[in-house]
Amino acid sequence: MPPIVSKPTLPEKVVIASRESLLAMWQAKHVQARLQQLYPGLVVEILGMTTQGDRILDVTLNKIGGKGLFVKELEIAMEAGQADFAVHSSKDVPMQLPAGFTLAAIGEREDPRDAFVSNRYADLTALPAGAVVGTSSLRRECQIRSRFPQLVVKPLRGNVQTRLRKLDEGQYDAIILAAAGLRRLALTERITSLLPTEASLPAVGQGALAIECRADREDLLALLAPLNHPETAACVRAERAMSRVLGGSCQVPLGGFAEVVAGQLQLRAFIAMPDGSNMLQITLHGPVDEPEMLGQRAADALLQQGAANIMAALDDAHPG
């Protein structure tokens, strides 16, 4: 007889750790509603937290330690037993998770594209020389500088509402935001135009939600499994594998976007210098059930093109 495998007992109550921004809380409430639909008797509470990344708004992320600042406090809450799992934007999750943590589920992807937002101009091509574009992302900055060297790119921090306010106050002629966040906050009308992925390759994981928990919580892994969207998860895993090899962080201007095309996983990726120079690009295909292998192949191909030289130059510019 086959051995009897006991299923983990599902919890009766769970606590979601979340940042307190409107977008983060929307994401946590979205997962809360999905779980209550799946498990009518389950009590699902949300623990709102302010992270270091939310508190430091006058310095760009690449100078203060990167997007990991948005998740560290949530992981501490999980370790301390104050929360069971955390809901993140996938693009905010560091490529290397701390020991003992895992991504239990990747939710279905929203629109992965970048959105051009302006009160005066239709798109990037309409901006006059010297126009100021705001973005918090080296990935977006280097792609803009590569295609539109006549534009001025300036840092833009804060939550979505703060960024829109700075645009409306006239501090910028245009700003670039993730379309997914604007859609989730019912701010679709603020999208002036969408940047095709060919013109602005998205961030790794952009548009997808990631649910993180302790790896030893088999009850949570079973509870959260129905929230995993297999196609999105394969795409994000390929993107993250590529970025992990190339040291993907806020200090490295790189993008990665995978999608299922004709039954295969297609991964497009690039790495460049912040000023848009020396941009290396790759497009590869592979089986949907081997996403990490495809990500590794893409990273290897970029390394063969000279990605290591870019990474070394960035290390010299940001020692430690």
Side-chain angles (χ1 to χ4, degrees):
M1 289 179 60
I4 298 173
V5 179
S6 60
K7 292 184 177 180
T9 303
L10 297 183
E12 297 178 357
K13 172 188 170 183
V14 291
V15 177
I16 304 173
S18 171
R19 294 165 59 198
E20 290 186 315
S21 73
L22 283 177
L23 180 56
M25 290 302 286
W26 181 96
Q27 294 172 171
K29 289 174 182 175
H30 173 73
V31 171
Q32 178 187 45
R34 287 286 311 278
L35 286 173
Q36 289 174 331
Q37 188 178 32
L38 284 164
Y39 309 102
L42 181 68
V43 177
V44 186
E45 296 180 356
I46 298 173
L47 172 66
M49 304 181 70
T50 301
T51 68
Q52 191 175 1
D54 296 308
R55 288 190 290 269
I56 305 174
L57 295 176
D58 56 347
V59 184
T60 56
L61 284 176
N62 59 299
K63 292 184 177 146
I64 57 173
K67 291 183 175 179
L69 295 174
F70 288 130
V71 304
K72 187 61 183 172
E73 279 96 337
L74 308 187
E75 289 167 344
I76 291 171
M78 287 187 277
E79 278 188 327
Q82 296 171 288
D84 294 289
F85 60 90
V87 178
H88 310 295
S89 293
S90 287
K91 67 189 182 83
D92 289 343
V93 180
M95 298 307 135
Q96 295 281 7
L97 292 179
F101 285 92
T102 189
L103 294 184
I106 303 288
E108 184 173 6
R109 196 169 223 158
E110 238 289 5
D111 191 329
R113 291 173 291 181
D114 286 325
F116 176 89
V117 183
S118 176
N119 297 322
R120 298 175 57 199
Y121 302 99
D123 53 34
L124 282 167
T125 63
L127 290 171
V132 177
V133 181
T135 175
S136 60
S137 156
L138 282 180
R139 171 191 61 83
R140 291 176 181 138
E141 178 180 345
C142 77
Q143 292 184 99
I144 293 170
R145 290 188 187 280
S146 176
R147 294 176 61 222
F148 303 100
Q150 75 277 16
L151 300 179
V152 177
V153 181
K154 290 192 174 177
L156 174 65
R157 288 288 317 280
N159 60 36
V160 172
Q161 289 74 16
T162 299
R163 297 182 195 197
L164 290 171
R165 176 179 55 77
K166 290 179 178 180
L167 171 71
D168 294 340
E169 290 172 352
Q171 297 183 37
Y172 303 87
D173 295 296
I175 62 176
I176 311 295
L177 300 171
L182 291 167
R183 293 189 191 282
R184 285 171 173 148
L185 290 172
L187 292 169
T188 306
E189 76 281 354
R190 293 303 305 259
I191 298 175
T192 310
S193 59
L194 290 163
L195 280 61
T197 57
E198 293 76 18
S200 187
L201 200 65
V204 166
Q206 186 158 309
L209 299 185
I211 304 178
E212 181 187 17
C213 72
R214 282 171 32 201
D216 60 1
R217 289 291 303 271
E218 291 186 13
D219 56 337
L220 293 179
L221 295 174
L223 183 87
L224 296 167
L227 300 185
N228 191 62
H229 188 257
E231 182 174 309
T232 301
C235 293
V236 172
R237 284 167 59 192
E239 295 161 12
R240 286 176 61 83
M242 177 277 301
S243 183
R244 193 177 301 120
V245 175
L246 297 178
S249 69
C250 289
Q251 288 88 3
V252 181
L254 67 76
F257 178 54
E259 53 193 326
V260 177
V261 178
Q264 277 210 312
L265 208 53
Q266 173 184 281
L267 174 59
R268 286 180 283 149
F270 86 89
I271 185 170
M273 292 297 291
D275 63 0
S277 66
N278 198 17
M279 185 173 286
L280 310 177
Q281 304 177 68
I282 191 72
T283 301
L284 290 177
H285 298 82
V288 176
D289 60 354
E290 296 180 347
E292 278 87 3
M293 186 179 295
L294 180 62
Q296 178 73 51
R297 285 174 51 215
D300 289 344
L302 289 170
L303 287 168
Q304 287 177 0
Q305 288 185 35
N309 296 330
I310 293 176
M311 294 156 63
L314 293 170
D315 283 342
D316 290 342
H318 301 282

